[in-house]
Amino acid sequence: MNKRIITLLTITICMVLLTACGPPKQKIPVSTNPLGAVIYADGKKICTSPFSVSFDKQSDHLLTIVKEGYEQVDLEITRQFMPDEAIRDGIITGVLTGGDPEDIGKEVAKEMDEQERTGEAYELQPDIVTVTLTPKK
């Protein structure tokens, strides 16, 4: 087999393995001052701070931080579209398949659609959460 076909097969296998594991996730470190606050992710108790919460990138999320004697903090974790990776992957696939510029453009569009559908084209923001809790009055 020629090198181009082997490379294309390797990329395809890696993409299948990565997408077969479920929706892409992103870890978001959460710390509080004072430490030991209870962290809820989308209404479910997860842990106490400090901790890294793992969210799927297919939707927005709600992070709730609670500690006795302090005001509750609700923080929305939102998706931001990041097309750079999809564009890069489409160009690489188009070049590896020996496509002309029109074919490369089609690969870029196809890759962007796929990564938007799976959630890979998104990053969750904020990507680090640091909260100073306010004492209740």
PDB file of all heavy atoms in Angstrom, residues 54-81:
ATOM      1  N   SER A  54     -16.434  17.216  34.736  1.00  0.00           N
ATOM      2  CA  SER A  54     -16.388  16.831  33.327  1.00  0.00           C
ATOM      3  C   SER A  54     -17.770  17.024  32.711  1.00  0.00           C
ATOM      4  O   SER A  54     -18.745  16.409  33.147  1.00  0.00           O
ATOM      5  CB  SER A  54     -15.952  15.368  33.205  1.00  0.00           C
ATOM      6  OG  SER A  54     -15.817  15.009  31.859  1.00  0.00           O
ATOM      7  N   PHE A  55     -17.845  17.910  31.706  1.00  0.00           N
ATOM      8  CA  PHE A  55     -19.112  18.204  31.025  1.00  0.00           C
ATOM      9  C   PHE A  55     -19.021  17.771  29.571  1.00  0.00           C
ATOM     10  O   PHE A  55     -17.964  17.908  28.944  1.00  0.00           O
ATOM     11  CB  PHE A  55     -19.388  19.711  31.024  1.00  0.00           C
ATOM     12  CG  PHE A  55     -19.826  20.276  32.340  1.00  0.00           C
ATOM     13  CD1 PHE A  55     -19.063  21.236  32.977  1.00  0.00           C
ATOM     14  CD2 PHE A  55     -21.016  19.889  32.932  1.00  0.00           C
ATOM     15  CE1 PHE A  55     -19.467  21.799  34.177  1.00  0.00           C
ATOM     16  CE2 PHE A  55     -21.422  20.439  34.136  1.00  0.00           C
ATOM     17  CZ  PHE A  55     -20.655  21.387  34.751  1.00  0.00           C
ATOM     18  N   ASP A  56     -20.157  17.278  29.025  1.00  0.00           N
ATOM     19  CA  ASP A  56     -20.164  17.034  27.589  1.00  0.00           C
ATOM     20  C   ASP A  56     -20.257  18.380  26.874  1.00  0.00           C
ATOM     21  O   ASP A  56     -20.812  19.339  27.408  1.00  0.00           O
ATOM     22  CB  ASP A  56     -21.297  16.082  27.176  1.00  0.00           C
ATOM     23  CG  ASP A  56     -22.654  16.728  27.206  1.00  0.00           C
ATOM     24  OD1 ASP A  56     -22.929  17.568  26.337  1.00  0.00           O
ATOM     25  OD2 ASP A  56     -23.459  16.385  28.098  1.00  0.00           O
ATOM     26  N   LYS A  57     -19.671  18.450  25.678  1.00  0.00           N
ATOM     27  CA  LYS A  57     -19.582  19.712  24.947  1.00  0.00           C
ATOM     28  C   LYS A  57     -20.776  19.921  24.007  1.00  0.00           C
ATOM     29  O   LYS A  57     -20.773  20.849  23.216  1.00  0.00           O
ATOM     30  CB  LYS A  57     -18.273  19.748  24.159  1.00  0.00           C
ATOM     31  CG  LYS A  57     -17.069  19.810  25.094  1.00  0.00           C
ATOM     32  CD  LYS A  57     -15.743  19.485  24.469  1.00  0.00           C
ATOM     33  CE  LYS A  57     -15.301  20.300  23.332  1.00  0.00           C
ATOM     34  NZ  LYS A  57     -13.922  20.037  22.896  1.00  0.00           N
ATOM     35  N   GLN A  58     -21.808  19.085  24.124  1.00  0.00           N
ATOM     36  CA  GLN A  58     -22.954  19.190  23.235  1.00  0.00           C
ATOM     37  C   GLN A  58     -24.015  20.164  23.717  1.00  0.00           C
ATOM     38  O   GLN A  58     -24.969  20.432  23.000  1.00  0.00           O
ATOM     39  CB  GLN A  58     -23.579  17.812  23.006  1.00  0.00           C
ATOM     40  CG  GLN A  58     -22.680  16.905  22.186  1.00  0.00           C
ATOM     41  CD  GLN A  58     -23.328  15.572  21.925  1.00  0.00           C
ATOM     42  OE1 GLN A  58     -23.822  14.919  22.831  1.00  0.00           O
ATOM     43  NE2 GLN A  58     -23.307  15.161  20.673  1.00  0.00           N
ATOM     44  N   SER A  59     -23.873  20.687  24.940  1.00  0.00           N
ATOM     45  CA  SER A  59     -24.891  21.616  25.442  1.00  0.00           C
ATOM     46  C   SER A  59     -24.299  22.530  26.507  1.00  0.00           C
ATOM     47  O   SER A  59     -23.186  22.303  26.981  1.00  0.00           O
ATOM     48  CB  SER A  59     -26.077  20.833  26.021  1.00  0.00           C
ATOM     49  OG  SER A  59     -25.645  20.042  27.107  1.00  0.00           O
ATOM     50  N   ASP A  60     -25.061  23.553  26.865  1.00  0.00           N
ATOM     51  CA  ASP A  60     -24.694  24.428  27.969  1.00  0.00           C
ATOM     52  C   ASP A  60     -24.992  23.693  29.281  1.00  0.00           C
ATOM     53  O   ASP A  60     -25.772  22.729  29.302  1.00  0.00           O
ATOM     54  CB  ASP A  60     -25.499  25.729  27.921  1.00  0.00           C
ATOM     55  CG  ASP A  60     -25.164  26.589  26.708  1.00  0.00           C
ATOM     56  OD1 ASP A  60     -24.088  26.388  26.097  1.00  0.00           O
ATOM     57  OD2 ASP A  60     -25.968  27.475  26.382  1.00  0.00           O
ATOM     58  N   HIS A  61     -24.394  24.162  30.371  1.00  0.00           N
ATOM     59  CA  HIS A  61     -24.561  23.498  31.660  1.00  0.00           C
ATOM     60  C   HIS A  61     -24.711  24.529  32.766  1.00  0.00           C
ATOM     61  O   HIS A  61     -24.318  25.683  32.612  1.00  0.00           O
ATOM     62  CB  HIS A  61     -23.351  22.607  31.964  1.00  0.00           C
ATOM     63  CG  HIS A  61     -23.148  21.543  30.936  1.00  0.00           C
ATOM     64  ND1 HIS A  61     -23.833  20.361  30.937  1.00  0.00           N
ATOM     65  CD2 HIS A  61     -22.344  21.519  29.840  1.00  0.00           C
ATOM     66  CE1 HIS A  61     -23.456  19.632  29.900  1.00  0.00           C
ATOM     67  NE2 HIS A  61     -22.553  20.318  29.220  1.00  0.00           N
ATOM     68  N   LEU A  62     -25.255  24.074  33.897  1.00  0.00           N
ATOM     69  CA  LEU A  62     -25.396  24.930  35.072  1.00  0.00           C
ATOM     70  C   LEU A  62     -24.546  24.345  36.198  1.00  0.00           C
ATOM     71  O   LEU A  62     -24.686  23.177  36.558  1.00  0.00           O
ATOM     72  CB  LEU A  62     -26.860  25.020  35.514  1.00  0.00           C
ATOM     73  CG  LEU A  62     -27.105  25.878  36.761  1.00  0.00           C
ATOM     74  CD1 LEU A  62     -26.729  27.337  36.497  1.00  0.00           C
ATOM     75  CD2 LEU A  62     -28.545  25.762  37.203  1.00  0.00           C
ATOM     76  N   LEU A  63     -23.674  25.175  36.732  1.00  0.00           N
ATOM     77  CA  LEU A  63     -22.822  24.808  37.855  1.00  0.00           C
ATOM     78  C   LEU A  63     -23.349  25.562  39.073  1.00  0.00           C
ATOM     79  O   LEU A  63     -23.515  26.783  39.031  1.00  0.00           O
ATOM     80  CB  LEU A  63     -21.387  25.228  37.544  1.00  0.00           C
ATOM     81  CG  LEU A  63     -20.283  24.700  38.426  1.00  0.00           C
ATOM     82  CD1 LEU A  63     -20.178  23.185  38.287  1.00  0.00           C
ATOM     83  CD2 LEU A  63     -18.965  25.335  38.008  1.00  0.00           C
ATOM     84  N   THR A  64     -23.653  24.838  40.145  1.00  0.00           N
ATOM     85  CA  THR A  64     -24.153  25.451  41.370  1.00  0.00           C
ATOM     86  C   THR A  64     -23.183  25.118  42.493  1.00  0.00           C
ATOM     87  O   THR A  64     -22.791  23.957  42.656  1.00  0.00           O
ATOM     88  CB  THR A  64     -25.568  24.935  41.706  1.00  0.00           C
ATOM     89  OG1 THR A  64     -26.435  25.220  40.606  1.00  0.00           O
ATOM     90  CG2 THR A  64     -26.108  25.600  42.956  1.00  0.00           C
ATOM     91  N   ILE A  65     -22.819  26.151  43.254  1.00  0.00           N
ATOM     92  CA  ILE A  65     -21.860  25.988  44.341  1.00  0.00           C
ATOM     93  C   ILE A  65     -22.536  26.423  45.643  1.00  0.00           C
ATOM     94  O   ILE A  65     -23.071  27.531  45.728  1.00  0.00           O
ATOM     95  CB  ILE A  65     -20.591  26.815  44.075  1.00  0.00           C
ATOM     96  CG1 ILE A  65     -19.957  26.332  42.760  1.00  0.00           C
ATOM     97  CG2 ILE A  65     -19.618  26.721  45.227  1.00  0.00           C
ATOM     98  CD1 ILE A  65     -18.847  27.194  42.241  1.00  0.00           C
ATOM     99  N   VAL A  66     -22.521  25.516  46.635  1.00  0.00           N
ATOM    100  CA  VAL A  66     -23.234  25.738  47.889  1.00  0.00           C
ATOM    101  C   VAL A  66     -22.311  25.421  49.065  1.00  0.00           C
ATOM    102  O   VAL A  66     -21.618  24.401  49.060  1.00  0.00           O
ATOM    103  CB  VAL A  66     -24.487  24.825  47.963  1.00  0.00           C
ATOM    104  CG1 VAL A  66     -25.221  25.012  49.272  1.00  0.00           C
ATOM    105  CG2 VAL A  66     -25.403  25.062  46.785  1.00  0.00           C
ATOM    106  N   LYS A  67     -22.327  26.306  50.063  1.00  0.00           N
ATOM    107  CA  LYS A  67     -21.612  26.045  51.319  1.00  0.00           C
ATOM    108  C   LYS A  67     -22.425  26.672  52.448  1.00  0.00           C
ATOM    109  O   LYS A  67     -22.879  27.805  52.316  1.00  0.00           O
ATOM    110  CB  LYS A  67     -20.194  26.613  51.284  1.00  0.00           C
ATOM    111  CG  LYS A  67     -19.382  26.263  52.537  1.00  0.00           C
ATOM    112  CD  LYS A  67     -17.913  26.490  52.299  1.00  0.00           C
ATOM    113  CE  LYS A  67     -17.088  26.222  53.540  1.00  0.00           C
ATOM    114  NZ  LYS A  67     -16.844  24.818  53.807  1.00  0.00           N
ATOM    115  N   GLU A  68     -22.597  25.912  53.518  1.00  0.00           N
ATOM    116  CA  GLU A  68     -23.386  26.410  54.644  1.00  0.00           C
ATOM    117  C   GLU A  68     -22.777  27.711  55.170  1.00  0.00           C
ATOM    118  O   GLU A  68     -21.565  27.839  55.350  1.00  0.00           O
ATOM    119  CB  GLU A  68     -23.425  25.372  55.765  1.00  0.00           C
ATOM    120  CG  GLU A  68     -24.424  25.728  56.847  1.00  0.00           C
ATOM    121  CD  GLU A  68     -24.568  24.619  57.874  1.00  0.00           C
ATOM    122  OE1 GLU A  68     -24.530  23.434  57.503  1.00  0.00           O
ATOM    123  OE2 GLU A  68     -24.721  24.970  59.060  1.00  0.00           O
ATOM    124  N   GLY A  69     -23.672  28.714  55.364  1.00  0.00           N
ATOM    125  CA  GLY A  69     -23.245  30.019  55.857  1.00  0.00           C
ATOM    126  C   GLY A  69     -22.829  30.985  54.755  1.00  0.00           C
ATOM    127  O   GLY A  69     -22.464  32.120  55.039  1.00  0.00           O
ATOM    128  N   TYR A  70     -22.916  30.547  53.494  1.00  0.00           N
ATOM    129  CA  TYR A  70     -22.514  31.390  52.360  1.00  0.00           C
ATOM    130  C   TYR A  70     -23.624  31.439  51.313  1.00  0.00           C
ATOM    131  O   TYR A  70     -24.462  30.542  51.229  1.00  0.00           O
ATOM    132  CB  TYR A  70     -21.234  30.845  51.711  1.00  0.00           C
ATOM    133  CG  TYR A  70     -20.028  30.966  52.599  1.00  0.00           C
ATOM    134  CD1 TYR A  70     -19.728  29.964  53.529  1.00  0.00           C
ATOM    135  CD2 TYR A  70     -19.196  32.079  52.533  1.00  0.00           C
ATOM    136  CE1 TYR A  70     -18.626  30.069  54.365  1.00  0.00           C
ATOM    137  CE2 TYR A  70     -18.094  32.191  53.367  1.00  0.00           C
ATOM    138  CZ  TYR A  70     -17.819  31.185  54.277  1.00  0.00           C
ATOM    139  OH  TYR A  70     -16.728  31.309  55.097  1.00  0.00           O
ATOM    140  N   GLU A  71     -23.619  32.508  50.530  1.00  0.00           N
ATOM    141  CA  GLU A  71     -24.583  32.656  49.442  1.00  0.00           C
ATOM    142  C   GLU A  71     -24.315  31.596  48.360  1.00  0.00           C
ATOM    143  O   GLU A  71     -23.159  31.306  48.052  1.00  0.00           O
ATOM    144  CB  GLU A  71     -24.484  34.049  48.805  1.00  0.00           C
ATOM    145  CG  GLU A  71     -24.802  35.200  49.745  1.00  0.00           C
ATOM    146  CD  GLU A  71     -26.276  35.268  50.124  1.00  0.00           C
ATOM    147  OE1 GLU A  71     -27.123  34.842  49.320  1.00  0.00           O
ATOM    148  OE2 GLU A  71     -26.563  35.758  51.232  1.00  0.00           O
ATOM    149  N   GLN A  72     -25.384  31.042  47.816  1.00  0.00           N
ATOM    150  CA  GLN A  72     -25.271  30.088  46.709  1.00  0.00           C
ATOM    151  C   GLN A  72     -24.804  30.817  45.447  1.00  0.00           C
ATOM    152  O   GLN A  72     -25.212  31.949  45.190  1.00  0.00           O
ATOM    153  CB  GLN A  72     -26.634  29.430  46.445  1.00  0.00           C
ATOM    154  CG  GLN A  72     -26.642  28.517  45.238  1.00  0.00           C
ATOM    155  CD  GLN A  72     -27.981  27.826  45.068  1.00  0.00           C
ATOM    156  OE1 GLN A  72     -28.500  27.248  46.012  1.00  0.00           O
ATOM    157  NE2 GLN A  72     -28.531  27.898  43.867  1.00  0.00           N
ATOM    158  N   VAL A  73     -23.968  30.167  44.669  1.00  0.00           N
ATOM    159  CA  VAL A  73     -23.507  30.735  43.398  1.00  0.00           C
ATOM    160  C   VAL A  73     -23.964  29.811  42.274  1.00  0.00           C
ATOM    161  O   VAL A  73     -23.709  28.603  42.300  1.00  0.00           O
ATOM    162  CB  VAL A  73     -21.964  30.869  43.372  1.00  0.00           C
ATOM    163  CG1 VAL A  73     -21.487  31.324  42.004  1.00  0.00           C
ATOM    164  CG2 VAL A  73     -21.494  31.820  44.460  1.00  0.00           C
ATOM    165  N   ASP A  74     -24.670  30.379  41.301  1.00  0.00           N
ATOM    166  CA  ASP A  74     -25.066  29.659  40.088  1.00  0.00           C
ATOM    167  C   ASP A  74     -24.276  30.247  38.936  1.00  0.00           C
ATOM    168  O   ASP A  74     -24.257  31.464  38.747  1.00  0.00           O
ATOM    169  CB  ASP A  74     -26.564  29.806  39.820  1.00  0.00           C
ATOM    170  CG  ASP A  74     -27.398  29.115  40.885  1.00  0.00           C
ATOM    171  OD1 ASP A  74     -27.110  27.948  41.195  1.00  0.00           O
ATOM    172  OD2 ASP A  74     -28.341  29.751  41.399  1.00  0.00           O
ATOM    173  N   LEU A  75     -23.641  29.391  38.160  1.00  0.00           N
ATOM    174  CA  LEU A  75     -22.800  29.837  37.059  1.00  0.00           C
ATOM    175  C   LEU A  75     -23.134  29.041  35.811  1.00  0.00           C
ATOM    176  O   LEU A  75     -23.115  27.803  35.833  1.00  0.00           O
ATOM    177  CB  LEU A  75     -21.326  29.646  37.430  1.00  0.00           C
ATOM    178  CG  LEU A  75     -20.288  30.098  36.436  1.00  0.00           C
ATOM    179  CD1 LEU A  75     -20.355  31.615  36.222  1.00  0.00           C
ATOM    180  CD2 LEU A  75     -18.905  29.704  36.911  1.00  0.00           C
ATOM    181  N   GLU A  76     -23.450  29.739  34.742  1.00  0.00           N
ATOM    182  CA  GLU A  76     -23.747  29.071  33.477  1.00  0.00           C
ATOM    183  C   GLU A  76     -22.447  28.788  32.735  1.00  0.00           C
ATOM    184  O   GLU A  76     -21.595  29.666  32.578  1.00  0.00           O
ATOM    185  CB  GLU A  76     -24.672  29.943  32.622  1.00  0.00           C
ATOM    186  CG  GLU A  76     -25.187  29.218  31.408  1.00  0.00           C
ATOM    187  CD  GLU A  76     -26.221  30.027  30.625  1.00  0.00           C
ATOM    188  OE1 GLU A  76     -26.559  31.142  31.046  1.00  0.00           O
ATOM    189  OE2 GLU A  76     -26.650  29.526  29.590  1.00  0.00           O
ATOM    190  N   ILE A  77     -22.296  27.546  32.296  1.00  0.00           N
ATOM    191  CA  ILE A  77     -21.167  27.127  31.470  1.00  0.00           C
ATOM    192  C   ILE A  77     -21.728  27.028  30.054  1.00  0.00           C
ATOM    193  O   ILE A  77     -22.632  26.234  29.793  1.00  0.00           O
ATOM    194  CB  ILE A  77     -20.605  25.756  31.921  1.00  0.00           C
ATOM    195  CG1 ILE A  77     -20.278  25.750  33.417  1.00  0.00           C
ATOM    196  CG2 ILE A  77     -19.420  25.352  31.068  1.00  0.00           C
ATOM    197  CD1 ILE A  77     -19.166  26.679  33.827  1.00  0.00           C
ATOM    198  N   THR A  78     -21.223  27.859  29.149  1.00  0.00           N
ATOM    199  CA  THR A  78     -21.801  27.941  27.802  1.00  0.00           C
ATOM    200  C   THR A  78     -20.828  27.447  26.727  1.00  0.00           C
ATOM    201  O   THR A  78     -19.614  27.517  26.894  1.00  0.00           O
ATOM    202  CB  THR A  78     -22.221  29.381  27.463  1.00  0.00           C
ATOM    203  OG1 THR A  78     -21.076  30.237  27.572  1.00  0.00           O
ATOM    204  CG2 THR A  78     -23.293  29.872  28.414  1.00  0.00           C
ATOM    205  N   ARG A  79     -21.410  26.983  25.638  1.00  0.00           N
ATOM    206  CA  ARG A  79     -20.612  26.504  24.502  1.00  0.00           C
ATOM    207  C   ARG A  79     -20.212  27.682  23.612  1.00  0.00           C
ATOM    208  O   ARG A  79     -21.009  28.569  23.350  1.00  0.00           O
ATOM    209  CB  ARG A  79     -21.434  25.544  23.628  1.00  0.00           C
ATOM    210  CG  ARG A  79     -21.868  24.330  24.332  1.00  0.00           C
ATOM    211  CD  ARG A  79     -22.592  23.316  23.471  1.00  0.00           C
ATOM    212  NE  ARG A  79     -23.376  23.849  22.377  1.00  0.00           N
ATOM    213  CZ  ARG A  79     -23.617  23.195  21.244  1.00  0.00           C
ATOM    214  NH1 ARG A  79     -23.138  21.995  21.065  1.00  0.00           N
ATOM    215  NH2 ARG A  79     -24.347  23.718  20.313  1.00  0.00           N
ATOM    216  N   GLN A  80     -18.968  27.638  23.151  1.00  0.00           N
ATOM    217  CA  GLN A  80     -18.468  28.628  22.190  1.00  0.00           C
ATOM    218  C   GLN A  80     -17.999  27.864  20.961  1.00  0.00           C
ATOM    219  O   GLN A  80     -17.223  26.909  21.069  1.00  0.00           O
ATOM    220  CB  GLN A  80     -17.299  29.416  22.792  1.00  0.00           C
ATOM    221  CG  GLN A  80     -17.623  30.129  24.079  1.00  0.00           C
ATOM    222  CD  GLN A  80     -18.633  31.241  23.887  1.00  0.00           C
ATOM    223  OE1 GLN A  80     -18.550  32.015  22.954  1.00  0.00           O
ATOM    224  NE2 GLN A  80     -19.598  31.313  24.786  1.00  0.00           N
ATOM    225  N   PHE A  81     -18.473  28.270  19.783  1.00  0.00           N
ATOM    226  CA  PHE A  81     -18.089  27.598  18.537  1.00  0.00           C
ATOM    227  C   PHE A  81     -16.638  27.915  18.207  1.00  0.00           C
ATOM    228  O   PHE A  81     -16.241  29.071  18.172  1.00  0.00           O
ATOM    229  CB  PHE A  81     -19.015  28.053  17.395  1.00  0.00           C
ATOM    230  CG  PHE A  81     -18.767  27.340  16.105  1.00  0.00           C
ATOM    231  CD1 PHE A  81     -18.925  25.968  16.012  1.00  0.00           C
ATOM    232  CD2 PHE A  81     -18.375  28.035  14.976  1.00  0.00           C
ATOM    233  CE1 PHE A  81     -18.712  25.304  14.815  1.00  0.00           C
ATOM    234  CE2 PHE A  81     -18.161  27.380  13.775  1.00  0.00           C
ATOM    235  CZ  PHE A  81     -18.331  26.007  13.696  1.00  0.00           C
TER     236      PHE A  81
END
